[in-house]
Amino acid sequence: MNGPTAAPETSRVIVVGSGPTGLLLAGDLAGAGVPVTLLEKRPHKTSNLSRAFALHARALEQLDARAVADDLEAVGRPLTLLNLFGGLTLDLDGLPSHFRHVLVLPQYEVEKVLERRAAEAGVDFRFESEVTGLTQDADGVTVHVKGAEDLRAAYVVGTDGMRSAVREAVGLPFPGRSAIRSVVLADVLLDETPGTLITAAAVGDAFAFLAPFGDGYYRVICWHRDRDVPDHEPVDLDEVREITRLALGRDFGMHEARWMSRFHSDERQAPRYRVGRVFLAGDAAHVHTPAGGQGMNTGLQDAANLSWKLTAVLHGHAGPGLLDTYQAERHPVGRSVLRSSGAIVRLAMAKGWQLPVRAALITALGRLAPVRRRVMGQITGVGYRYPAPRGAHPFTGARVPDLALAGGGRLYEALRGGRFVLVTPGPYDAGEERADRLAVAHWASGRGTTLLVRPDGYAAWAAEDARGADIESALAAHVG
């Protein structure tokens, strides 16, 4: 979707941080014809230090809408059974998604694919560029970069992690607490191959997690309730082995650690994701425990929500008020992820009076399908929906699954290119003037509902047996 040419300073977006969130956002904007500069304070090199190891169904759907999910499926390994706590296993084969699994792969594989996409779209990458502050006015934002000239843009998005310089520059607090302290992390070789793709368990006061990199090494994350030492304390491989044995019953003959570290896991969320022309996304906006593997996935969905809105405003297809919906839609999701990931950790490490509570929840999840669907929807991301106007069709604001379309295609293939998709029971002429912003598709089943699907896969509008005038009003309101 290409927009009109404009002066760089009035149309440019600066993205700060080159993790998955920043890369997806920058690639979306540049692919839509928005000039993008991406600032990253680290050197440009591949890192294996990332902690994320899973892509859930909703994130895979967003990546599918960008034609990169197949590339990641080729290097990752699918997991259909998700182990949580106390022996509880969720079978993802029944998910209402084209992706009925978790894709296990290290975060740097996601970053490689998204960086290539962003570079091909024309993103201006500037590594070793540390943001030291910013100022904004009614017309734009000036970003101060250490040892370099100031940069000017219409909008700035901070995707620069928990210690976000952008968040600090706009004066936003990051309230919360350290949920788990002295978490030990190591990349090791194993003499014995674990029997499952992801190995995780909590026994007594110990927790351990193992996942493969794919190059022979395994990532080990472990924690012991009684070991609360500062992050700067060195990690010994014997400590990793001991905690792993306590939690998993064996250490799988781990040896030859290429990297070890100690960190703490926080639960924090910024009260606002926007201050004027500056936005926060990903870990700059919210951080939580790694339980359930929801961190990278939530950030990718932040980016997918914000990118099409910035594009629409910068190209003149929507007013600036559209950008207010980013806070309204994504902040509640971030809050929910904090709660669900924290609950998983607390239930996994339950002891004493907490054990009967955990047992009751496991029983409910096993016997009650609605409870199980709700938990799976939260963890995988497919269960979230956005607020809709009062009196709107029930589909409005809901995530739209990967519908089968007439002619054999799929909805998320039609979403590629960052366009809205109007799904109708039969042919409809939307006019050539909308062709760069709107695709028209038809239900394979010929059902009566008409849907206007946003670029991020959520229903912007819906109606039963809509008449032409209704469709025109919806298109005028959302597409222009």
Side-chain angles (χ1 to χ4, degrees), residues 359-384:
L361 181 57
I362 291 173
T363 300
L365 285 168
R367 295 179 179 177
L368 302 176
V371 177
R372 191 164 56 251
R373 284 195 298 268
R374 180 176 177 82
V375 171
M376 284 198 297
Q378 285 187 320
I379 293 174
T380 64
V382 303
Y384 289 109

Side-chain angles (χ1 to χ4, degrees), residues 13 25 69 156 162 232 271 310 319 338 373 420 422 438 454 472:
V13 174
L25 177 70
V156 170
M162 177 179 172
H232 61 76
L310 284 171
L338 259 71
R373 284 195 298 268
F420 281 76
L422 180 68
L438 177 71
R454 304 179 345 182
E472 283 301 314

Side-chain angles (χ1 to χ4, degrees), residues 265-340:
S265 181
D266 285 5
E267 293 177 330
R268 300 183 183 277
Q269 185 180 28
R272 288 183 288 158
Y273 288 4
R274 179 188 184 186
V275 176
R277 291 177 170 267
V278 179
F279 298 83
L280 301 177
D283 286 356
H286 47 76
V287 294
H288 45 80
T289 72
Q294 300 171 79
M296 173 171 61
N297 295 269
T298 306
L300 289 171
Q301 293 165 65
D302 290 344
N305 183 286
L306 182 58
S307 64
W308 72 267
K309 296 174 181 178
L310 284 171
T311 297
V313 171
L314 288 168
H315 286 341
H317 303 315
L322 176 64
L323 299 175
D324 292 333
T325 65
Y326 175 64
Q327 166 79 14
E329 293 179 348
R330 293 306 301 170
H331 194 275
V333 174
R335 183 171 60 247
S336 179
V337 171
L338 259 71
R339 292 172 177 169
S340 63

Side-chain angles (χ1 to χ4, degrees), residues 216-441:
Y217 277 84
Y218 281 74
R219 169 62 53 83
V220 183
I221 302 175
C222 56
W223 174 69
H224 194 284
R225 193 193 306 268
D226 294 335
R227 298 186 183 178
D228 187 359
V229 299
D231 290 353
H232 61 76
E233 286 289 325
V235 179
D236 184 275
L237 186 56
D238 285 339
E239 179 184 359
V240 182
R241 292 191 185 104
E242 180 187 355
I243 300 175
T244 303
R245 283 195 297 267
L246 289 171
L248 303 180
R250 60 203 302 184
D251 63 18
F252 299 94
M254 61 179 62
H255 63 282
E256 200 173 322
R258 65 182 177 187
W259 184 65
M260 293 187 292
S261 180
R262 195 185 305 273
F263 68 97
H264 62 278
S265 181
D266 285 5
E267 293 177 330
R268 300 183 183 277
Q269 185 180 28
R272 288 183 288 158
Y273 288 4
R274 179 188 184 186
V275 176
R277 291 177 170 267
V278 179
F279 298 83
L280 301 177
D283 286 356
H286 47 76
V287 294
H288 45 80
T289 72
Q294 300 171 79
M296 173 171 61
N297 295 269
T298 306
L300 289 171
Q301 293 165 65
D302 290 344
N305 183 286
L306 182 58
S307 64
W308 72 267
K309 296 174 181 178
L310 284 171
T311 297
V313 171
L314 288 168
H315 286 341
H317 303 315
L322 176 64
L323 299 175
D324 292 333
T325 65
Y326 175 64
Q327 166 79 14
E329 293 179 348
R330 293 306 301 170
H331 194 275
V333 174
R335 183 171 60 247
S336 179
V337 171
L338 259 71
R339 292 172 177 169
S340 63
S341 61
I344 292 172
V345 167
R346 290 166 180 80
L347 289 167
M349 301 303 298
K351 60 188 304 184
W353 64 268
Q354 300 167 331
L355 290 172
V357 176
R358 185 175 77 177
L361 181 57
I362 291 173
T363 300
L365 285 168
R367 295 179 179 177
L368 302 176
V371 177
R372 191 164 56 251
R373 284 195 298 268
R374 180 176 177 82
V375 171
M376 284 198 297
Q378 285 187 320
I379 293 174
T380 64
V382 303
Y384 289 109
R385 63 178 299 150
Y386 295 144
R390 180 175 298 179
H393 188 282
F395 286 173
T396 305
R399 161 196 161 268
V400 183
D402 201 10
L403 306 171
L405 302 176
R410 296 186 291 112
L411 173 64
Y412 282 79
E413 293 173 330
L415 286 170
R416 293 173 184 175
R419 294 180 294 179
F420 281 76
V421 177
L422 180 68
V423 187
T424 65
Y428 179 80
D429 183 7
E432 293 184 6
E433 71 278 3
R434 292 192 179 115
D436 64 334
R437 305 189 302 279
L438 177 71
V440 178

Side-chain angles (χ1 to χ4, degrees), residues 100-143:
R100 295 186 292 275
H101 56 264
V102 177
L103 188 66
V104 179
L105 78 173
Q107 178 177 321
Y108 63 74
E109 295 288 358
V110 180
E111 291 175 349
K112 283 195 295 186
V113 169
L114 292 178
E115 183 178 330
R116 181 173 67 245
R117 171 179 177 261
E120 291 172 352
V123 172
D124 175 19
F125 284 88
R126 301 192 187 185
F127 293 92
E128 299 185 72
S129 297
E130 180 178 355
V131 172
T132 59
L134 59 82
T135 55
Q136 58 177 314
D137 52 43
D139 299 319
V141 187
T142 300
V143 177

